[in-house]
Amino acid sequence: MPKRSRDHSWSRRDAMRAMAASAAVSAFAVPMGLDAPAAQALSDPWARANRIAAKVRGPRFPHRRFDIRKYGAVGDGVTDCTAAIRTAIRACHAAGGGHVDVPEGRFLTGAVHLLSNVDLHVAEGATLLFSTDPKAYLPLVLTRFEGVELLNYSPLIYAYGQRDIAVTGAGVLDGQAGDDHWWPWKGSGDHGWEPGEPRQAEAKAALFAQAEQGVPVERRVYGEGGYLRPSFVQPYRCRNVLIEGVTIVNSPMWEIHPTLSENVLVRGVTVRTHGPNNDGCNPESSRMVVIRDCTFDTGDDCIAIKSGRNADGRRVNVPSEHILVEGCTFREGHGGMTVGSEMSGGVREVFIRDCTMSSPNLDIALRFKTNSVRGGFVEGLHARNLEIGQVGGSVIDINFNYEEGPGHGFNPVVGGIDVRDMTVRTANRALNLRGYADAPIHGVRLTDVDFGAIATPSVVEHVENLVLENVLANGEPLIIP
């Protein structure tokens, strides 16, 4: 196994990262005043996970109810209910909070903007049907597109700087995206785009160039003519967020996208959409996030932890941290549990437990993707009790060669990966671990892992401190070439 080169500048940075991680974990895990047994318990990563679970409970709302029909909404799937829904939300907020009720029916709407102390409750049998007219998502709002801040179309459900907000119920949020709406803007022929039609490529390149050049965010103005698709549900700089029970289908792009937010609970949600960049849940630069008892069946990563892209991620410089995923089901997707690729602000203290994954169209179970343009760090991902059926590619993939690859000056720092009590039925490959010679992956531990039937040998390049304890593949101890 290749050894880490003695690049002293990297070693100093690695040491600084490790010290910062230790300080951050200690500050989170062992508050002052705890007695010795309590402090010792919280030094266990799963005690820290339990503490996240205990602290992130979701907001509570007054028992006031505001039926959108009383404000003019009609559930015929044709009448534009945007103004009625916005009026109901404002009334609920002004009254001190409560529940804005979407009853049984199909309610057509444009952008929905939540306000503090408001629960948007979509009842069983109700569908919020989002307009396919991009003008319904104007005026522009501060948002992120693939990890870069800009002014763009509003996400379909959006909140900025609000507290105690929720989207709940057993109803459906339907973005109505498809090969005729939103998805063709990706510019790929497999989602309805034809040469000569509008696409996002030019605006995306311009936005990324602006970010690298340090152009102020207020001058990164897109929207009409830019063809940059909005996320579905995005609380931006919000605190105490609950998304519970709803089913999300046909999204323009990323589904649930908490950004720069804190205390976020995503519980019992079903995401079922297979368009381009249809990630299921992407906490970005957010902390204290719990994703529990959800089902993801997506056209891209099921869950992807992010923290900004390239120069813009380093400018904002806010990691995603203290994130717990438990009791979830992962079906189709590029990755099941993913970190990256927009992770330039770093990712710290992620836990996943008691989850199942399986699909011939699930490419990778646990995926880490970055490169020397993204940079960033991963300090601590803990996984246990994972039941994995079929995986089309690698079970665990840590890849520093994603897209731009090496040689761009911002080598990632990735380590502290601990996976235990995981079973796999079948996959193409157990491990695909590819670091850099001058920035190896450091610290991967697998304990009590059975990779099941594996078709091709693992790939391990530039990895330090890979520890295998009771790890099997094809019924034999896993051999690293």
Side-chain angles (χ1 to χ4, degrees), residues 40 62 78 244 303 330 346:
Q40 184 177 7
V78 177
E244 181 176 47
I303 294 175
F330 302 78

Side-chain angles (χ1 to χ4, degrees), residues 212-224:
E212 295 302 310
Q213 295 159 10
V215 173
V217 175
E218 59 268 22
R219 288 172 47 196
R220 305 178 196 171
V221 181
Y222 288 84
E224 290 186 287

